[in-house]
């Protein structure tokens, strides 16, 4: 019997299953993803990156930064904190409630706690436990909220506040997730290291900024040129062994500027439905942290300043 | 086509009429296979060079850091693209085509089409690799060749694939051997995944993280499923053939085939991915199910040819070729005849008495007389059998790499090993340890048969085996260990990231040494292939020249 | 390769049983794994969350109703019949979009989930005659206020928010009323 066509058909359907399940279905599900409201704020997330940052993504791609740096944060779990923000009018009842939810606490300690608010009174609970505690505290007239805290080794390392999700990369081409961490993760580097000068120095000579870095120097992103009438404001300030000969200066090329703009625009900490987290606004300054509620524009940065800090 | 008669008159005199079928088949494969395998070997050397450069940059980041085209982020994808597209796909296609022809008992259909396709392919990959060095890489891991190189590569593939499909279609043997299933599936899976990836990533890019999903799907299907299909197709032919035993058994092999198609093609989406949870979960389930396929293949090879077992008896070939002793005489006669006229006059005795080994005419026939060790090895038994050694190593590497892939996708292990050196270690062990070794074994086995000549430097071939096997072990094992250690350390935020990375350097040093050894082995391979091709064409040129001068002598009536 | 040997043949024995058993064991294990970690194909469930309910439970809340909490409650409770887009389902639940019962006084709206509604009712020109159970009776004041606010301010509805105090007051007024409302009774209210 001629098995040829039968073999072809069976293999076709077997492999078509893979194409159907991993190309077609995901495309139907997340292929038309749209920006969405951030939690607790009317602003849309994500915003498209400004033009210079988008060019920077091209430089990032061309020089293979994704070969050593990832932009994916993992999350191992979610814990709830109970934050007391107001005591209301019935202090004794609140103290009783506080002692009920936190048995190990003593009376004087509880009173002292109530003097400095807002304060997380319970940490590391499951959502159900946190809800019960909030109900008890609210019943005494106080104002308590549940704060959602994502946890995981990547997050504990300070690389981010929550895991990365599909919406974080909605407008990027190509999406540079990376597959290996030879250098630190960059998903939130714009929040962690907002200094453009640091990035430029790091690109020119990585071991200037990180002593044990294995990153190759990207000197081709800079050019050495003769100083005209006066030095350029963009000129790099380098130590003696790396500095150019007198009469010359090292200036970043447009590619370097674009790449740094892209790096500064990398932030993935907006609270979303699929990756909830409670953003704690810093006392006073609205834009000091990543709090997106104040102004949506802080989600992605505008063009960086190229002036060196020192 | 009967070029044996036209270009080697003396050799043709030694062949019987019933051998025409066999040699016709081999002759039809000769040029396409030579082009595919030699260019694959050349790309392998190029890729090894780039890989060595990028590996050295870890130990000395300032190494070649000046020019933009030599930065790690460009040299690394150049190496991987040259390896995947230049070596793996070309050599895999070459071996597949030869196997399809052999198992179908037919010649390679439209061999010229395959040769032209190989040329297109090489041009496309060259343009692509140069584009990657120029900074035009696409950014998607296994698909780095820029968009403008794709049409040539695709056209090249179509031409080669059409040759393969026609060969399969015109087969004279109606029953299908196991290898043909694997190879045929491989032949049509590649254009499917490649065109999907190109369309959805480069031509009409999909939105957001969907790009990564398609890229992971493509990379996994190319680096694992395709290499497995092509490699296992060769393994299931070579192991029984080289040990002259029967394959144990057909059902195990087909079981593995269906499992790889159904579940192996699900892999690729890592657990760390920023995609909804069902994608990595389903991927992990599919990958874990391939454990059964791995066991089936291992069991099959083990049962067919347990290590240390003697080779089976020599049986008559279906095409009814003469026995071993005649063939070695024919081989030596070919060598002698090709060089006899150009070496000296008065060697007509040697021409007319091919089976006598008495007269020692020219210095060139000494290698054929001495019967180079490789030839002896091929004809004697399993122990000295160099191609079999390569294939056995390949199967072992296949099992180890397959289990590493299974472990690396299971949730508890991937929480530690994701985004570390463990993934590259698995990829490299699979590609270099399994696929490349099987291709080397196939090349060392097939080419002497095709060309009718032995490899010029058999000792170099044996050195290649040791360099390659030691190199692969030195490359993959330290990387895997480094990955696991790295992952374990990074679980605790108290370990500074840069310290953990620095601690992997000793392992990287070992793997660079492995890179170096493998590069040397690949150079040896290319040297042997190029030497064989040169020898063949020189011999042919010489015999053409000699037949022309013989005619001239005959016409002028002068005594030679 | 010695050409004088035959092309390899293949034995025809069946696949060993233990291999098939292993396959089915792994398949079962895979299904169990996917059940726990797969999020059942939901596009908004990412690892480590096990299901959509898990994600909803982890939304920031407390200290008063929030739009997200209201939405979460809606999806879990009201949306099952009234649909996620508030357009209702014929034969099952009337729409909220453009409904005068929704955008009118909060008094009416709070009472319906607390005690239920049955009998004929006219919504946006269409007659409905179904029976709604007291879906909101078990909800805490915050959540009920939040979900009512969400309904009153979504899909183009523009009405005032409902506060937990209002809900508390109505609840106290109703006491232990278990009888579902009818449209006439509700219209008779101030």
């Amino acid at each position: 019997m001629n098995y040829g066509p039968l073999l072809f058909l069976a293999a076709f359907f077997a492999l078509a299953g893979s194409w159907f399940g991993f190309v077609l279905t995901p495309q139907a599900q997340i292929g038309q993803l749209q920006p969405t409201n951030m939690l607790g704020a009317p602003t849309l997330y994500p915003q498209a990156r400004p033009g210079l940052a988008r060019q920077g993504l091209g430089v990032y791609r061309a020089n293979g930064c994704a070969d050593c740096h990832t932009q994916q944060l993992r999350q191992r779990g979610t814990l709830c904190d109970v934050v007391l923000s107001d005591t209301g009018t019935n202090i004794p009842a609140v103290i009783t409630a506080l002692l009920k939810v936190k048995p190990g606490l003593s009376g004087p300690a509880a009173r002292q706690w109530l003097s400095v608010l807002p304060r997380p009174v319970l940490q590391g609970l499951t959502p159900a436990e946190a809800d019960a505690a909030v109900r008890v505290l609210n019943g005494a007239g106080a104002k308590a909220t549940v704060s959602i805290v994502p946890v995981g080794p990547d997050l504990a390392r300070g690389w981010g506040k929550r895991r990365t999700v599909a919406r974080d990369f909605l407008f990027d081409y190509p999406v540079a997730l990376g597959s290996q961490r030879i250098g630190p993760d960059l998903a939130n580097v714009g929040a962690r290291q907002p200094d453009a000068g640091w990035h430029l120095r790091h690109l020119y000579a990585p071991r200037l900024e990180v002593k044990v870095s294995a990153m190759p120097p990207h000197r081709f992103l800079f050019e050495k040129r003769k100083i005209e009438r006066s030095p350029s404001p963009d000129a790099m300030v380098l130590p003696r062994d790396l500095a150019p000969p007198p009469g010359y200066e090292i200036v970043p090329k447009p590619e370097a500027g674009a790449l740094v703009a892209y790096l500064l625009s990398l932030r993935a900490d907006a609270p979303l439905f699929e990756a909830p987290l409670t953003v704690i606004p810093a006392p006073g300054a609205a834009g000091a942290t990543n709090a997106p509620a104040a102004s949506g524009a802080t989600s992605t940065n505008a063009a960086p300043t190229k002036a060196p800090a020192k | 086509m009967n070029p044996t008669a036209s270009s080697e008159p003396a050799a043709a005199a030694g062949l019987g009429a019933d051998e025409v079928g066999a040699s016709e088949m081999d002759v039809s494969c000769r040029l396409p296979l030579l082009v595919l395998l030699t260019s694959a070997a050349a790309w392998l050397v190029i890729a090894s060079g780039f890989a060595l450069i990028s590996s050295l940059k870890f130990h000395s980041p300032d190494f070649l850091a000046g020019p933009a085209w030599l930065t790690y982020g460009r040299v690394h994808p150049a190496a991987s693209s040259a390896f995947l597209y230049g070596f793996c796909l070309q050599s895999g296609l070459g071996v597949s085509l030869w196997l399809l022809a052999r198992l179908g008992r037919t010649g390679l259909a439209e061999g010229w089409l395959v040769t032209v396709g190989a040329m297109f392919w090489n041009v496309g990959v060259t343009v692509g690799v140069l584009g990657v060095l120029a900074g035009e890489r696409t950014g998607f891991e296994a698909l780095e060749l820029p968009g403008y190189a794709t049409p040539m590569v695709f056209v090249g593939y179509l031409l080669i694939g059409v040759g393969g499909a026609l060969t399969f279609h015109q087969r004279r043997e109606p029953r299908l051997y196991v290898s043909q299933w694997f190879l045929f599936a491989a032949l049509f899976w590649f254009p499917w995944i490649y065109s999907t990836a190109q369309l959805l990533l480069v031509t009409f890019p999909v939105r957001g993280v969907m790009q990564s999903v398609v890229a992971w799907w493509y990379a996994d299907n190319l680096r694992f499923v395709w290499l497995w299909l092509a490699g296992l197709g060769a393994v299931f032919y070579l192991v029984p053939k080289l040990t002259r035993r029967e394959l144990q058994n057909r059902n195990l092999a087909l079981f593995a085939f269906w499992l790889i198609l159904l579940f192996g093609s699900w892999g690729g989406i890592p657990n760390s991915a920023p995609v909804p949870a069902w994608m990595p979960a389903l991927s992990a389930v599919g990958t874990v199910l391939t454990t059964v396929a791995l066991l089936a293949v291992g069991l099959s090879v083990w049962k067919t040819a347990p290590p240390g077992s003697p080779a089976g008896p020599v049986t008559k070939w279906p095409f009814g070729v003469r026995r071993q002793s005649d063939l070695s005489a024919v081989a030596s006669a070919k060598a002698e005849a090709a060089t006899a006229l150009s070496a000296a006059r008065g060697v007509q005795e040697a021409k007319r008495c091919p089976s006598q080994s008495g007269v020692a005419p020219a210095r060139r026939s000494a290698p054929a007389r001495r019967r180079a060790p490789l030839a002896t090895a091929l004809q004697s038994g399993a122990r000295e059998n160099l191609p079999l050694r390569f294939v056995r190593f390949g199967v072992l590497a296949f099992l180890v790499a397959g289990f590493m892939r299974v472990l690396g996708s299971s949730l508890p292990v991937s929480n530690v090993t994701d985004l570390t050196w463990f993934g590259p270690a698995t990829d490299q062990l699979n590609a270099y340890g399994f696929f490349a070794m099987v291709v080397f074994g196939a090349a060392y086995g097939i080419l002497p048969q095709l060309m009718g000549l032995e490899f010029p430097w058999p000792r170099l071939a044996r050195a290649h085996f040791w360099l390659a096997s030691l190199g692969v072990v030195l490359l993959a094992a330290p990387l895997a260990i480094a990955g696991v250690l790295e992952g374990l350390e990074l679980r605790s935020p108290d370990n500074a990231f840069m310290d953990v990375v620095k601690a992997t350097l000793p392992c990287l040093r070992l793997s660079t040494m492995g890179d170096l050894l493998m590069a040397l082995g690949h150079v040896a391979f290319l040297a042997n292939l190029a030497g064989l091709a040169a020898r063949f064409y020189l011999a042919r040129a010489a015999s053409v020249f000699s037949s022309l001068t013989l005619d001239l002598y005959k016409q002028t009536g002068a005594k030679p | 390769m010695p050409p004088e040997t035959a092309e390899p043949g293949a034995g025809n024995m069946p696949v060993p049983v233990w291999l098939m058993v292993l396959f089915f064991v792994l398949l079962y294990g895979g299904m169990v794994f996917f059940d726990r970690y797969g999020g059942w194909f939901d596009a908004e469930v990412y690892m480590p969350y096990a299901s959509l309910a898990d994600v909803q439970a982890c939304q920031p809340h407390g200290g008063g109703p929030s739009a997200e909490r209201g939405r979460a409650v809606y999806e879990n409770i009201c949306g099952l019949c009234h649909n996620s887009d508030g357009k209702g389902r014929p034969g099952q639940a009337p729409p909220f979009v453009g409904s005068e019962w929704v955008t009118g006084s909060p008094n009416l709206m709070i009472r319906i989930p607390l005690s239920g509604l049955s009998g004929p009712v006219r919504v946006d020109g269409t007659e409905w005659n179904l029976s709604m159970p007291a879906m909101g009776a078990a909800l805490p004041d915050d959540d009920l206020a939040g979900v009512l606010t969400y309904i009153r301010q979504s899909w183009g509805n523009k009405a005032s928010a409902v506060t937990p105090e209002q809900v508390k007051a109505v609840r106290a007024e109703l006491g232990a009323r278990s009888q579902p409302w009818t449209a006439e009774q509700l219209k008779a209210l101030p």
Side-chain angles (χ1 to χ4, degrees):
Chain A
M1 175 180 161
N2 186 9
Y3 281 119
L6 203 66
L7 155 68
F8 178 81
L9 251 120
F12 178 87
F13 281 112
L15 294 169
S18 153
W19 179 82
F20 184 82
F22 285 90
V23 177
L24 202 61
T25 311
Q27 169 67 13
Q29 200 179 59
I30 58 175
Q32 297 299 321
L33 218 52
Q34 301 288 340
T36 186
N37 274 13
M38 288 192 285
L39 289 184
T43 22
L44 279 183
Y45 178 86
Q47 309 276 341
R49 295 191 202 278
L52 194 62
R54 212 174 314 162
Q55 287 174 33
L57 178 53
V59 179
Y60 189 92
R61 167 198 57 78
N63 292 302
C65 306
D67 284 346
C68 296
H69 292 279
T70 56
Q71 286 180 27
Q72 319 172 29
L73 290 172
R74 301 171 286 179
Q75 183 175 326
R76 203 56 61 78
T78 315
L79 293 175
C80 297
D81 291 353
V82 173
V83 176
L84 191 62
S85 49
D86 193 73
T87 51
T89 47
N90 193 352
I91 304 275
V94 171
I95 293 188
T96 322
L98 199 54
L99 293 174
K100 192 165 8 149
V101 296
K102 202 167 174 78
L105 201 61
S106 64
R111 209 171 298 271
Q112 194 193 18
W113 273 25
L114 290 181
S115 58
V116 181
L117 293 178
R119 172 194 281 279
V121 295
L122 291 167
Q123 284 169 321
L125 304 175
T126 66
E129 291 168 0
D131 274 345
V134 162
R135 218 154 283 166
V136 167
L137 287 169
N138 280 355
K143 197 158 149 51
T145 52
V146 175
S147 184
I148 306 288
V149 181
V151 293
D154 292 352
L155 309 177
R157 202 168 276 282
W159 281 343
K161 296 230 161 34
R162 61 156 174 82
R163 66 160 298 147
T164 44
V165 293
R167 280 210 172 86
D168 294 324
F169 306 97
L170 202 54
F171 296 120
D172 287 342
Y173 178 76
V175 172
L177 289 180
S179 58
Q180 204 186 346
R181 284 182 179 153
I182 304 175
D185 187 276
L186 296 183
N188 269 294
V189 73
R192 212 161 60 232
Q193 183 57 266
D195 178 13
W198 187 96
H199 285 292
L200 285 169
R201 281 191 303 280
H202 181 246
L203 281 171
Y204 186 77
R207 268 164 299 289
L208 263 188
E209 300 290 346
V210 182
K211 293 279 178 307
V212 291
S213 173
M215 174 164 150
H218 286 66
R219 288 192 289 269
F220 52 87
L221 291 174
F222 300 78
E223 61 174 335
K224 181 168 101 170
R225 64 177 187 214
K226 215 159 187 302
I227 298 183
E228 301 289 324
R229 252 181 287 149
S230 58
S232 155
D234 293 339
M236 305 276 295
V237 178
L238 298 165
R240 204 159 356 125
D241 52 343
L242 289 170
Y248 287 87
E249 60 183 3
I250 308 266
V251 173
K253 287 193 196 159
E255 286 92 19
L259 182 57
V260 171
Y262 170 69
L263 291 174
L264 292 180
S265 76
L266 286 174
R267 283 188 129 112
D269 48 22
L272 297 171
F273 178 77
E274 58 261 29
L277 96 136
T278 303
V279 177
I280 301 165
T289 63
N290 308 325
S295 60
T298 54
S299 295
T300 59
N301 275 39
T305 54
K306 289 203 272 183
K310 290 76 172 158
Chain B
M1 169 173 156
N2 203 0
T4 49
S6 56
S7 54
E8 287 153 345
L15 295 173
D18 50 357
E19 194 173 310
V20 166
S23 61
E24 171 188 328
M25 192 177 77
D26 284 337
V27 155
S28 69
C29 291
R30 196 176 275 160
L31 185 62
L33 216 65
L34 202 58
V35 169
L36 282 172
L37 286 179
T38 316
S39 38
W43 277 114
L44 185 61
V45 170
I46 295 174
S48 303
F50 282 134
L52 200 57
I53 294 177
S54 55
S55 196
L56 284 169
K57 281 176 185 279
F58 281 102
H59 311 295
S60 165
D62 287 313
F63 177 64
L64 295 181
W69 65 278
L70 278 175
T71 185
Y72 179 82
R74 295 194 196 185
V75 163
H76 175 80
S80 72
S81 303
F83 176 69
L84 269 178
Y85 293 92
F87 171 70
C88 287
L89 279 165
Q90 268 198 96
S91 57
L93 288 172
V95 170
S96 307
L97 290 180
W98 182 83
L99 278 176
L100 283 176
R102 220 21 152 90
L103 291 167
R105 283 208 267 146
T106 176
L108 184 65
E110 313 297 339
W112 64 272
L113 208 63
V114 174
T115 313
V116 168
M119 288 175 189
F120 266 101
W121 183 281
N122 280 308
V123 169
V125 176
T126 311
V127 168
V129 169
L130 289 175
V132 167
L133 289 175
E136 314 246 309
R137 59 183 290 195
T138 59
F140 301 112
E141 210 175 316
L143 195 71
E144 300 284 7
L145 297 183
Y148 46 77
T150 310
M152 280 176 283
V153 168
F154 204 68
V155 164
Y157 182 85
L158 279 178
L159 294 175
I160 299 175
V162 160
L166 283 176
T167 308
F168 184 77
H169 179 73
Q170 69 182 36
R171 65 189 185 283
R172 288 186 227 150
E173 172 65 59
R175 290 166 303 166
L176 286 181
Y177 183 66
V178 163
S179 293
Q180 284 165 299
W181 294 61
F182 281 88
L183 297 173
F184 198 69
L187 261 186
F188 87 84
W189 189 221
F190 178 72
W192 190 342
I193 56 176
Y194 191 57
S195 52
T196 304
Q198 279 292 327
L199 282 174
L200 294 182
L201 293 177
V202 178
T203 323
F204 306 110
V206 284
R207 180 188 275 210
V209 92
M210 191 57 210
Q211 296 164 24
S212 299
V213 172
V214 174
W216 280 319
W217 174 81
Y218 172 70
D220 195 77
N221 269 291
L222 181 66
R223 289 202 294 234
F224 286 95
V225 179
W226 197 88
L227 290 188
W228 282 2
L229 287 175
L232 289 176
V235 163
F236 282 127
Y237 176 81
L238 288 171
V239 168
K241 179 76 174 186
L242 290 171
T243 55
R244 298 200 287 269
R245 299 160 74 92
E246 214 180 40
L247 177 70
Q248 302 294 338
N249 60 40
R250 184 172 180 273
N251 294 318
L252 266 180
L254 291 184
F255 187 52
F257 173 72
W258 287 114
L259 281 176
I260 292 176
L261 282 196
L262 278 171
F263 298 110
S265 54
W266 286 10
I269 305 199
N271 284 319
S272 58
V275 288
W278 68 268
M279 294 186 217
L282 215 53
S283 219
V285 168
T287 309
V288 168
L289 283 172
T290 59
T291 317
V292 186
L294 298 173
L295 289 174
V297 170
L299 196 65
S300 177
V301 172
W302 176 274
K303 277 211 185 131
T304 305
S309 63
V314 175
T315 58
K316 202 157 190 291
W317 203 37
F319 295 107
V321 162
R322 287 172 209 183
R323 314 269 306 167
Q324 182 174 323
S325 50
D326 286 346
L327 198 73
S328 63
V330 166
S332 56
K334 277 185 191 169
E336 288 181 31
T339 58
L341 283 171
S342 59
R345 304 189 186 167
V347 290
Q348 267 174 329
E349 271 99 19
K351 250 189 339 187
R352 279 204 203 112
C353 312
S355 52
Q356 274 182 16
S357 48
V359 180
R363 60 195 185 331
R364 271 292 215 83
S365 63
R369 180 73 46 77
R370 221 185 330 138
R371 285 232 244 116
L374 191 63
T376 323
L378 287 177
Q379 289 164 17
S380 61
R383 232 169 11 128
E384 280 275 338
N385 201 334
L386 191 66
L388 187 63
R389 269 204 213 151
F390 274 104
V391 174
R392 273 204 208 279
F393 186 92
V395 172
L396 200 61
F398 166 76
L399 293 172
V400 175
F403 280 119
M404 279 170 72
R405 179 176 179 242
V406 166
L407 283 177
S409 64
S410 67
L411 197 58
V413 176
S414 82
N415 275 339
V416 171
T417 61
D418 249 358
L419 306 174
T420 62
W421 282 107
F422 192 80
T426 315
D427 286 336
Q428 309 241 20
L429 185 60
N430 182 60
Y432 285 108
F434 163 61
F435 188 75
M437 295 298 257
V438 169
V439 161
F440 296 148
Y444 282 124
I446 297 173
L447 284 176
Q449 157 75 22
L450 272 191
M451 318 304 282
L453 287 175
E454 293 306 332
F455 277 101
W457 300 290
R459 276 206 207 110
L460 205 59
R462 273 208 299 279
H464 175 204
F465 173 73
W466 289 112
L467 284 171
S469 42
L470 198 61
V472 162
V473 170
L474 269 185
L475 174 71
L479 284 185
I481 295 171
V484 171
L485 287 178
E486 203 187 326
L488 289 173
E489 297 276 299
L490 283 175
R491 281 181 310 175
S492 161
D494 299 327
N495 300 325
F497 179 77
M498 291 316 299
D499 291 339
V500 174
V501 168
K502 197 158 151 228
T504 63
L505 264 183
C507 293
L508 289 184
R509 232 166 261 153
L510 281 176
S511 86
T512 305
M513 251 181 275
D515 261 322
L516 181 64
L517 289 179
M518 283 200 323
L520 292 175
H522 299 156
V523 168
F525 180 59
L526 179 64
N528 247 328
L529 274 191
L532 178 67
R535 207 188 243 194
F536 177 77
Y537 284 109
L538 278 177
R540 216 191 234 205
S543 74
V544 166
F545 175 72
S546 74
S547 66
L548 285 176
T549 49
L550 188 60
D551 289 339
L552 204 60
Y553 282 131
K554 280 190 181 151
Q555 279 166 16
T556 57
K559 277 231 152 120
Chain C
M1 178 149 2
E4 69 279 1
T5 61
E7 297 303 338
N12 220 347
M13 286 173 314
V15 176
V17 174
W18 61 268
L19 211 57
M20 300 293 291
V21 167
L22 180 66
F23 172 71
F24 283 108
V25 164
L26 286 176
L27 194 63
Y28 177 74
M31 290 197 285
V32 169
F33 175 82
F34 186 78
D35 181 53
R36 160 66 182 89
Y37 290 103
W40 280 104
F41 296 102
D42 197 301
E44 304 206 299
V45 176
Y46 286 74
M47 285 186 176
Y49 299 102
S51 63
L52 193 62
D54 222 6
V55 180
Q56 284 168 349
C58 286
Q59 299 292 317
H61 59 276
S66 72
E68 292 318 308
R69 178 71 184 158
R71 176 177 169 224
V73 176
Y74 181 80
E75 299 283 352
N76 250 339
I77 296 182
C78 317
L80 301 172
C81 290
H82 286 280
N83 228 8
S84 292
D85 57 4
K87 294 220 175 93
R89 290 201 194 129
Q92 209 170 348
F96 288 140
V97 177
S99 164
E100 59 272 31
W101 296 90
V102 169
T103 52
S105 151
N107 267 329
L108 303 186
M109 230 206 144
I110 298 175
R111 282 169 164 75
I112 296 177
L114 279 180
S115 305
L117 178 71
S118 72
V121 58
R122 177 171 278 265
V123 178
D124 196 16
T126 322
E127 257 321 299
W128 293 80
N129 193 347
L130 301 164
S131 181
M132 171 173 156
M135 299 298 291
L139 283 178
D141 297 335
D142 281 356
D143 283 347
L144 186 53
V147 72
L148 292 176
T149 308
Y150 175 76
I151 296 173
R152 283 164 73 83
Q153 294 181 344
S154 297
W155 319 299
N157 288 339
K158 285 184 178 46
S160 62
V162 174
T163 65
E165 289 74 37
Q166 287 173 312
V167 173
K168 196 184 212 162
V170 171
R171 219 178 217 146
E173 202 182 299
L174 290 180
R177 182 200 168 106
S178 57
Q179 191 77 303
W181 296 94
T182 65
E184 286 73 28
Q185 287 172 342
L186 286 175
K187 283 211 201 109
L189 291 171

